[in-house]
Amino acid sequence: MKKILCLAFIFSSVLTGCSSGIPINAHSSTEEFTLPPLNTVTQSYIGEEMIDEGIKVTDNYLIVKRTIDGVAYDIGKGDYKHLGTEKDGTMYFSHFSTNGGYVVQGPFIDPPFALSPSEKKGLCVSTIFVINATCYEEAETEVVNKSIESASAFQRTLIYNGSVGKKINISYREFSAGNARQAFTNNVEYDMSKSNIINYKGAEIEVINFDNSSITYKVNKYFR
């Protein structure tokens, strides 16, 4: 029974990471954006956004610039998302990379739980049992604040597709987590000989000039 309880405790610790004392208090920053500014003369080329609107999710990331081939751990070049910060400012990052990096332990070594950069120690690997269990002074790292595609990110755009005679073609697209939503993708054609004002989903655009390579315009209203 004692062995079972011990194994249960270790398994629980692996899942939660609580035994390490590493704080899990990071919060993403969510921000709405809409481009370009209203009533501003703007030029877009074929394939570029005329209106770009959405929500971006921003986090702190640890950038490991060069792969570390260590005795205890191999740490791959990549970006690692923020987990939490101590009161003294020490930051901890996930050992899972968002773009192909990795942290792999050697034989008979405890699995990694978090990474932490330090001016004195370099890049440290923590386990669920020991904070800064192994450190690599030769590590080349940087902490940056950046926005990436996220499951909670949303975007919708109007894209210029060129012209034929007096008619221009525009695509409307919606994206979720960086992927186009096929049910919300549409191509629309406007006859500029009838009006230089185009409307789509509440957005109003005044077309100033256009050809088959670019369009000059002003956005009078954004999407509803």
Side-chain angles (χ1 to χ4, degrees), residues 3-212:
K3 289 183 179 180
I4 294 175
L5 290 174
C6 183
L7 288 173
F9 172 76
I10 292 174
F11 181 70
S12 175
S13 297
V14 170
L15 290 179
T16 63
C18 291
S19 62
S20 68
I22 293 175
I24 311 297
N25 56 12
H27 295 284
S28 300
S29 172
T30 302
E31 180 183 359
E32 295 182 1
F33 67 91
T34 307
L35 298 171
L38 290 175
N39 304 312
T40 301
V41 176
T42 305
Q43 185 179 37
S44 293
Y45 292 89
I46 288 182
E48 293 183 343
E49 294 87 358
M50 296 177 64
I51 298 180
D52 189 10
E53 175 184 284
I55 298 172
K56 61 181 180 181
V57 180
T58 305
D59 292 282
N60 285 317
Y61 283 83
L62 172 70
I63 312 299
V64 177
K65 299 181 179 181
R66 182 170 56 85
T67 296
I68 298 171
D69 184 8
V71 175
Y73 298 93
D74 291 341
I75 305 174
K77 177 182 177 182
D79 301 352
Y80 299 83
K81 189 177 179 181
H82 188 208
L83 285 180
T85 304
E86 294 275 18
K87 292 181 180 180
D88 63 2
T90 301
M91 302 180 75
Y92 296 93
F93 296 83
S94 171
H95 67 285
F96 295 109
S97 171
T98 60
N99 62 348
Y102 54 86
V103 183
V104 180
Q105 76 268 23
F108 311 111
I109 302 295
D110 288 334
F113 181 75
L115 299 175
S116 181
S118 169
E119 291 185 4
K120 295 181 179 179
K121 298 179 180 180
L123 180 59
C124 299
V125 181
S126 295
T127 72
I128 62 170
F129 304 108
V130 182
I131 292 178
N132 296 345
T134 303
C135 298
Y136 299 95
E137 295 182 359
E138 72 276 15
E140 296 180 14
T141 65
E142 180 184 9
V143 176
V144 301
N145 189 263
K146 70 171 186 173
S147 301
I148 67 166
E149 295 172 354
S150 165
S152 58
F154 175 77
Q155 183 181 10
R156 54 181 177 173
T157 65
L158 281 181
I159 298 174
Y160 185 57
N161 288 333
S163 65
V164 177
K166 293 293 184 179
K167 296 181 179 180
I168 64 173
N169 188 278
I170 292 173
S171 292
Y172 173 79
R173 298 179 186 175
E174 288 188 4
F175 300 86
S176 179
N179 298 314
R181 305 172 68 193
Q182 295 301 323
F184 297 91
T185 297
N186 194 23
N187 291 331
V188 186
E189 190 174 73
Y190 295 91
D191 189 346
M192 293 291 96
S193 66
K194 296 182 178 180
S195 173
N196 71 327
I197 302 294
I198 61 177
N199 294 274
Y200 194 88
K201 285 187 175 291
E204 180 180 287
I205 297 175
E206 178 184 346
V207 178
I208 299 172
N209 193 16
F210 67 91
D211 56 32
N212 201 36

